[in-house]
Amino acid sequence: MAIASCLLSEEQFLCSVCLDVFIEPVSTPCGHNFCSACIHKYWDSSDICQCPFCKRIFSPRPELQVNTVVSELAAEFKTLVQVKASTPDKQLAGTADVLCDICSEIKENAVKSCLMCLASFCEVHLEPHQRVASFKSHTLLDPVKNLDDRMCKSHNKITELYCRTDQVCICVLCFKTNHKSHNVVPLEEEYEAVMAKKDEAMASIQKMIQSRSEKIVEIENSVVVSQREAEKEKEASVQVFTDLIRSIQRSQAELVEVIEERYRATKQKAECFLKELKMEMAELESRSSQLEQLSQSEDHHHFLQSFPTLCSPLNKDWTNIGVPSDLSFEAVRGAVTLLKQRLGEIMEGLPEIKMKRMREHAVDLTLDPDTAFCSLVISQDGKQVILVDTKQNLPYNPKRFEMYSEVLAKEGFTTGKFYYEVQVTGKTEWIVGVVRESVDRKKDMALSVKNGAWVIGLDDGIYSAYTKSTVKITLKEKLQTVGIFVDYDKGVVSFYDVNSKSHIYSFTGALFTEKLYPYFCLQSNVNGTNSAPLIITPVPQTH
């Protein structure tokens, strides 16, 4: 096992996250290794589950197991490093691996390199340089790797001069040819001149270190201040909302009480009226009965005396009497509704809140191979698409785009709201958005709202929205991931920078009558400069 680990370089045992030797190494599906704690911490701190090394995205998040082979190799390598660190090294740092060029069998470590001989020597083979007079004039220095780099590639001579004009080391033949009129000095002279500036350079470096140290302290202090301000603002905001909630609850209770009081008063008044009306009805029914009896009597005298009394009207006129229903509180409800709307508008003015609420309408999209241009290749999970150099021999499909590198999602929408995110990292040209189902897929037709496309894109380094005419979009930072939010019923298509959570552009006032499909165009790939894929990324769950 020790022999195997010695054959590998140190970099192969370093985690690319913590830059230290692996601890419980695990392998991702793409084949890269990381410390178990490092990769899980990396994924927990990110909205996207991807490989830190090659940026491949995994969905769903994979379950990782410790790679026993890499774990054993890393442990063995760590042991060897500790043994090596405990062994004294008499050589200067960076010179221990410079071997003697003269040793024939077992190579000894070199102690000096000769610029005249262009060779490195151990203690034994350096002896002639210390004894023979003709060798004593040679320039010796601490062991140096790659002495050939000290040779002029054009003339195969030692570079013992320095051209200050071009700031390069040259040989005497270079000075007589390409550098004849330049400011050329011996290498030693330039060395002395540069060394004379060392103290000034060191002072400058120290000054830069100091300024950066001060900046670090400043930023750290600003973080502390920001934390205090955040806590203070959070406390104040919670208090304001708490007071508002209490006020609304108190107003709600008071309003309910007023409604109930008005109802009780109305009910009491109505009950009095009902009692009185029922008494009058009893009186009238009694008169009716008496009148019926009198009509059957032959006592004409009694009939004539009783009739006026029985037929006389009752004193109270009920025509304009009623129970008013004064229970309408529409003004109060209207005011509360306006307050709710205004608060919602203010909250959505905060980018984080706006993004969170849009993500509540996230949809799971899959690219549709039946619509893909013949040079597009879709990943197995249907989330990524790339443009290849060769056209595939695909069967005719009325849904397929035949002019440009375009593709649609399988999922279409005819109502409500939906949201999705597209990664455009590494691409120099692209177009994304939504198109109506009847968009022309066979002809060379410009993308525009008139032709059923609500899209934005990047072309020649310029971001644009494709309306009736191209509208230039100015952004502070290069887009990495684009968020697309569609409100079908309101006719709005909006684009957002997911990283900064900022608004990019919105199409408004559209009257959608057809099914809308998410649209992706990879544009051309000249000399491989636009080879990166378009990726439908998983939208983080909102809580």
Side-chain angles (χ1 to χ4, degrees), residues 186-236:
L187 205 60
E188 292 77 5
E189 182 180 337
E190 181 64 17
Y191 170 78
E192 295 296 336
V194 173
M195 283 298 293
K197 300 177 182 177
K198 185 197 71 172
D199 292 341
E200 181 182 348
M202 288 292 292
S204 176
I205 291 173
Q206 289 300 319
K207 185 176 180 180
M208 287 189 288
I209 292 173
Q210 179 65 26
S211 68
R212 280 154 180 76
S213 298
E214 292 172 356
K215 181 58 68 174
I216 289 173
V217 173
E218 178 187 335
I219 293 174
E220 289 175 341
N221 290 337
S222 68
V223 171
V224 174
V225 172
S226 295
Q227 183 181 9
R228 287 200 298 264
E229 290 179 351
E231 292 295 331
K232 183 178 178 181
E233 187 64 30
K234 183 169 65 175
E235 182 180 348

Side-chain angles (χ1 to χ4, degrees), residues 91-103:
Q91 298 289 335
L92 292 173
T95 66
D97 52 354
V98 179
L99 301 178
C100 177
D101 293 320
I102 309 302
C103 292

Side-chain angles (χ1 to χ4, degrees), residues 31 42 59 133 140 171 187 212 216 238 263-264 307 350 352 354 435 449 520 536:
Y42 179 83
S59 179
L140 297 176
C171 70
L187 205 60
R212 280 154 180 76
I216 289 173
V238 169
Y263 170 70
R264 285 195 296 269
F307 184 81
L350 301 174
E352 295 84 355
K354 179 67 175 177
V435 296
V449 171
F520 311 83
I536 301 173

